[in-house]
Amino acid sequence: MPARSIEQVRNLSKRRGFVFPGSAAYGGLGSFWDYGPLGAELLNNIKRAWWRDVVYRRDDVDGIDAAILMSRKVWQHSGHEATFSDPMVDCRNCRSRFRADHVASELDVARHAYVSSVEEMLHEVPNAIELEGRRLLTNRLLTAIQTNSIDALARIERARQRGDGFISVFGQLAALDPDVLESGRRYAEFIQDHFEVFRQAYFQLGLAVCPNCAARDWTLPRNFNLMFKTHVGPVEATDAEAELSARAYLRPETAQGIFMNFAHVQRSLARKVPFGIAQVGKAFRNEITPGNFIFRTREFEQMEIEFFIKPPQFVREGEKNDAQWHDEWINQRYEWWLGLGVDSARLRQREQAADELAHYSKRTVDLEYLFPEFGWGEVEGIANRTDYDLTAHSRDIPAEDLARLKLEPNTDSVEKFDYFDPDAKARYIPWVIEPSAGATRAMLAFLCEAYHEELTKDPPQPEIEAIKAEIPAVVKNAQKKQKDAEKETDPAQRKHDPAAIEAFCTALEEAASRLPQSLLEIDALLTEHPGAHNLEPVKKLQPKVNKLAEDCARVVLKLHPSLAPIKLAVFPLKKNKPELVDIARRIAQTYQPHFRTVYDDSAGIGRLYRRQDEIGTPWCVTVDFQTLEDNTVTVRERDSMQQQRINLEALRDYFFTRIHV
Ligand code: GAP
């Protein structure tokens, strides 16, 4: 079973050197992370696997590496300066800051459900009118309102009745005639157009509850631009004009670097449409609520492709149109994740609703992974960006195209990003399909998927029973300490944190009901849980659990071999036998130039295997006394734990046919 909690993965990451908090010596810096020796390997392997599949394995994609800092004008014309923002609110009571759409997500959910149900019905209008008449549609509309968005409507109605001046806009709702289909359409449009007003009212009236302190006293939502600002060259902060002309942004997506290089790549490689440009690199977003470990961070890495295709009007019979290219990329990207070991039960395609789409997108399908605890989360988005971006960055665009894309003329650009198609004998601005994945987010998904705790043999029943028998005493003692701590009115004088103890007891009792499978979980709870600290019965029980867990259980990262940070670990059976050490070192040196191989003799073989299992090393080689006699070594496979003897001569073939970097 994959990870049950993000905490399991976070603990392992810290313990074994995958991910550390950034600027840790100074208390950290909000949601910036450093990737340690194994994390850097894993991240590099993810990026390499992606590059291999989307660049090397294709004839129609080239890779680039564009600058991170780009002219402010790029972000003005891409639309990011005006629109790349999230609504932000502050709780006046505890001063916590949140993304408004995270606190009041039910409002957005109701909006999506309502708008898409109306859209769906509008598609059916001609048939439905013919077949069943308007009454049916009206009923369906009312049902949709009742089933999908009744909560939001009730709240809005309550707000209206309270007669707040700000809410007068809601009066218009009452005027809508529910018997007429058209009112559904108008209502949907109304919700879209006035959504920010709804949101403001929702917070102003205290309908949203603070997730931190449960208060209902909010500032009004205001839009906060997510781009990090910086300046190129020396600039006085007080000189507003100079500040603006020296201002640059750290890129919030790598995509714009690709658009800027469309013409360079096309001309220098004489590429014909369709072709793509791929890029891997850092992106930065000043997220309002980063979190869930490395899921949402302010500095992260993206792996993006802009795949340039013919505009619909130039597509000839037998050629793929934009919708077909889009579907093809969705399928290929979905398969990429499965091919690297993600189970299809935890990977889904989700169509973005019309009102979720970014300003440039005609259609976007997200690939979502089922993370432990917080559930489905986007790991990649595949968007049809049409000709929006290349047009936005081009000068001399005809008025009808500007109107179609809702763009202003660009008088800053010296380029026109069009292309002469020799087959069509015409010049056009290509359309774009964009598969855009997060590399750091992919790392979290692959770690969650690969993380397994499993028994390597059945633990002796009497020892399990003994642990089970001790747990009620641990819980009883912990609850007593919890009560004592609650009686202490000055929190600074408390020896224990009552909330942490309560959480510890709940988790311990639940895990105890799953013994012996939960042996490692119980070991981690007793060792690491903040509620377990300074409890005498815990100190007594922990060594017994730890010993049994070491003997009978293991943490294993079942990473795909091409992602595994270390591919091969080589051990001598005895570190004080130079003849074994020599051979083991020589084997390690043979493979070190080809893939990450380590030599280790710092513990007994059993413990060395456990350590490599925990970081996902797919193969271990042990040199023992038999090696001296028959030139064979033991090769142990991580997942099956099976061991076989292989001749040193055959080792090269064995690994080179299995390990692809
Ligand atoms: N060029 C399109 C684009 O940037 P996006 O959906 O905003 O689209 C693409 O981002 C991918 O980048 C996401 O699917 C996610 O994997 C990753 N990503 C976005 N914001 C992130 C963040 N704050 N932290 C980590 N990864 C992030």
Side-chain angles (χ1 to χ4, degrees):
M1 202 171 102
R4 289 161 47 87
S5 71
I6 295 292
E7 209 44 37
Q8 286 178 313
V9 172
R10 185 204 291 265
N11 283 341
L12 174 74
S13 296
K14 193 169 171 202
R15 191 167 68 240
R16 299 306 312 272
F18 283 89
V19 184
F20 305 114
S23 311
Y26 296 96
L29 176 68
S31 199
F32 288 86
W33 298 90
D34 296 339
Y35 293 82
L38 297 178
E41 293 289 348
L42 175 54
L43 198 53
N44 280 341
N45 292 343
I46 292 170
K47 293 184 282 187
R48 197 176 294 127
W50 181 87
W51 193 272
R52 187 182 57 221
D53 282 10
V54 305
V55 180
Y56 293 177
R57 286 199 172 145
R58 302 183 62 107
D59 297 322
D60 53 3
V61 178
D62 304 292
I64 64 160
D65 188 8
I68 286 175
L69 287 190
M70 300 175 77
S71 162
R72 175 174 172 231
K73 297 219 176 333
V74 171
W75 305 106
Q76 285 178 306
H77 290 287
S78 69
H80 284 76
E81 194 173 74
T83 63
F84 195 61
S85 53
D86 279 335
M88 171 177 85
V89 283
D90 291 310
C91 170
R92 284 192 225 264
N93 188 45
C94 67
R95 306 203 173 279
S96 304
R97 178 163 284 178
F98 301 96
R99 254 174 72 169
D101 54 336
H102 286 179
V103 178
S105 55
E106 65 272 33
L107 203 59
D108 286 83
V109 169
R111 173 178 64 145
H112 293 324
Y114 185 76
V115 171
S116 45
S117 65
V118 169
E119 267 168 11
E120 200 183 291
M121 277 182 284
L122 289 175
H123 276 123
E124 294 174 20
V125 168
N127 269 347
I129 287 181
E130 246 174 62
L131 296 175
E132 298 166 84
R134 194 156 144 154
R135 190 79 226 156
L136 173 78
L137 283 168
T138 308
N139 286 341
R140 284 195 53 192
L141 186 62
L142 287 173
T143 314
I145 292 174
Q146 279 156 6
T147 52
N148 292 324
S149 57
I150 194 73
D151 262 352
L153 290 174
R155 288 195 182 104
I156 290 163
E157 180 56 18
R158 252 184 285 137
R160 195 183 64 78
Q161 285 170 7
R162 277 158 67 169
D164 193 299
F166 185 62
I167 307 302
S168 63
V169 67
F170 294 131
Q172 296 175 43
L173 291 179
L176 293 171
D177 176 3
D179 271 350
V180 183
L181 175 69
E182 185 54 23
S183 71
R185 185 208 302 271
R186 285 210 316 272
Y187 190 18
E189 280 170 10
F190 183 84
I191 290 181
Q192 292 286 54
D193 293 349
H194 294 81
F195 190 70
E196 289 314 316
V197 182
F198 278 28
R199 205 196 307 269
Q200 295 224 339
Y202 197 76
F203 282 93
Q204 196 183 36
L205 295 172
L207 298 171
V209 179
C210 173
N212 190 40
C213 70
R216 292 164 177 268
D217 189 8
W218 297 99
T219 60
L220 283 184
R222 56 211 181 278
N223 273 335
F224 172 74
N225 195 293
L226 301 182
M227 288 194 292
F228 281 100
K229 257 187 247 169
T230 187
H231 298 102
V232 178
V235 63
E236 294 291 337
T238 46
D239 183 343
E241 213 173 294
E243 189 279 318
L244 270 187
S245 64
R247 191 190 289 178
Y249 294 108
L250 275 71
R251 63 185 182 199
E253 59 168 10
T254 60
Q256 297 300 325
I258 298 182
F259 293 127
M260 285 295 106
N261 284 288
F262 162 74
H264 296 148
V265 175
Q266 189 275 317
R267 286 178 206 142
S268 60
L269 297 183
R271 276 290 187 191
K272 279 173 76 177
V273 168
F275 75 97
I277 304 179
Q279 176 167 224
V280 174
K282 294 258 184 184
F284 304 83
R285 295 181 189 177
N286 200 0
E287 298 280 1
I288 298 164
T289 39
N292 286 328
F293 191 30
I294 53 170
F295 179 79
R296 181 172 290 103
T297 52
R298 293 187 167 122
E299 175 177 338
F300 55 98
E301 277 194 270
Q302 288 189 314
M303 310 184 286
E304 297 199 300
I305 305 158
E306 305 303 327
F307 195 78
F308 301 100
I309 55 172
K310 283 185 176 178
Q313 64 273 30
F314 291 96
V315 175
R316 292 188 303 201
E317 191 140 337
E319 291 178 336
K320 279 182 231 138
N321 62 23
D322 61 307
Q324 289 163 322
W325 274 115
H326 196 187
D327 285 340
E328 187 170 309
W329 273 107
I330 294 165
N331 292 335
Q332 288 192 9
R333 296 303 307 142
Y334 183 77
E335 292 299 324
W336 183 83
W337 292 85
L338 298 187
L340 286 172
V342 173
D343 191 305
S344 59
R346 284 178 292 281
L347 188 71
R348 71 174 183 191
Q349 300 179 9
R350 190 185 69 85
E351 187 83 32
Q352 282 196 6
D355 55 342
E356 272 181 273
L357 293 174
H359 60 281
Y360 50 71
S361 176
K362 176 181 167 192
R363 178 187 174 218
T364 299
V365 170
D366 288 341
L367 302 184
E368 295 186 330
Y369 178 74
L370 185 58
F371 288 93
E373 292 176 88
F374 64 88
W376 293 103
E378 176 196 334
V379 286
E380 175 159 1
I382 300 116
N384 181 346
R385 285 179 89 132
T386 69
D387 51 345
Y388 182 91
D389 299 87
L390 290 182
T391 308
H393 292 304
S394 294
R395 63 181 167 80
D396 304 335
I397 295 296
E400 63 269 26
D401 287 328
L402 292 175
R404 172 175 58 84
L405 295 166
K406 299 197 179 85
L407 285 167
E408 294 296 319
N410 185 338
T411 51
D412 295 317
S413 173
V414 293
E415 278 275 2
K416 185 161 185 192
F417 289 106
D418 58 0
Y419 159 82
F420 180 76
D421 186 325
D423 300 333
K425 299 198 177 27
R427 209 162 249 294
Y428 56 72
I429 293 185
W431 279 37
V432 173
I433 303 297
E434 176 195 69
S436 168
T440 41
R441 201 172 272 187
M443 177 162 155
L444 182 63
F446 285 125
L447 281 172
C448 291
E449 184 70 18
Y451 185 98
H452 285 74
E453 291 183 349
E454 58 187 33
L455 294 178
T456 47
K457 60 181 181 204
D458 285 337
Q461 196 57 27
E463 294 187 40
I464 290 294
E465 292 307 326
I467 292 170
K468 277 189 186 164
E470 271 189 58
I471 283 176
V474 173
V475 171
K476 198 168 163 206
N477 171 274
Q479 286 169 339
K480 183 173 174 314
K481 301 289 178 199
Q482 181 189 342
K483 283 206 182 97
D484 293 347
E486 280 162 356
K487 278 188 214 142
E488 177 57 68
T489 45
D490 178 2
Q493 299 300 318
R494 284 179 184 162
K495 283 199 197 123
H496 298 277
D497 172 358
I501 293 196
E502 191 176 350
F504 166 67
C505 291
T506 312
L508 186 63
E509 283 181 319
E510 193 279 324
S513 69
R514 288 183 286 110
L515 270 169
Q517 266 69 25
S518 57
L519 201 54
L520 277 163
E521 263 177 83
I522 294 182
D523 187 26
L525 282 172
L526 299 175
T527 317
E528 288 160 12
H529 198 288
H533 291 171
N534 290 330
L535 297 176
E536 284 310 315
V538 168
K539 287 184 197 159
K540 240 178 76 196
L541 179 61
Q542 195 273 337
K544 292 182 216 166
V545 175
N546 186 259
K547 163 102 189 33
L548 197 60
E550 286 221 340
D551 289 349
C552 309
R554 66 170 183 164
V555 171
V556 53
L557 277 190
K558 297 187 176 175
L559 286 169
H560 189 282
S562 50
L563 300 184
I566 294 172
K567 314 293 182 202
L568 176 62
V570 189
F571 320 130
L573 185 67
K574 299 263 182 233
K575 69 173 172 185
N576 55 0
K577 295 285 172 204
E579 58 277 37
L580 302 186
V581 168
D582 266 8
I583 298 175
R585 282 202 184 278
R586 252 189 292 126
I587 294 173
Q589 282 158 8
T590 305
Y591 297 104
Q592 275 166 346
H594 304 285
F595 43 78
R596 187 85 176 106
T597 305
V598 294
Y599 167 89
D600 197 355
D601 62 11
S602 61
I605 292 296
R607 180 161 290 195
L608 291 177
Y609 283 152
R610 293 287 178 278
R611 281 190 202 156
Q612 295 298 329
D613 286 347
E614 205 184 30
I615 60 172
T617 306
W619 289 281
C620 294
V621 163
T622 303
V623 177
D624 55 21
F625 293 105
Q626 194 182 327
T627 312
L628 301 176
E629 287 164 21
D630 64 4
N631 223 22
T632 64
V633 288
T634 301
V635 176
R636 174 191 183 265
E637 201 270 330
R638 176 195 68 199
D639 296 351
S640 63
M641 292 187 289
Q642 275 181 358
Q643 305 189 0
Q644 53 177 312
R645 294 212 65 96
I646 296 192
N647 195 289
L648 280 176
E649 308 285 307
L651 215 48
R652 215 182 150 79
D653 260 8
Y654 184 90
F655 288 125
F656 282 124
T657 50
R658 284 170 174 76
I659 301 179
H660 304 283
V661 286

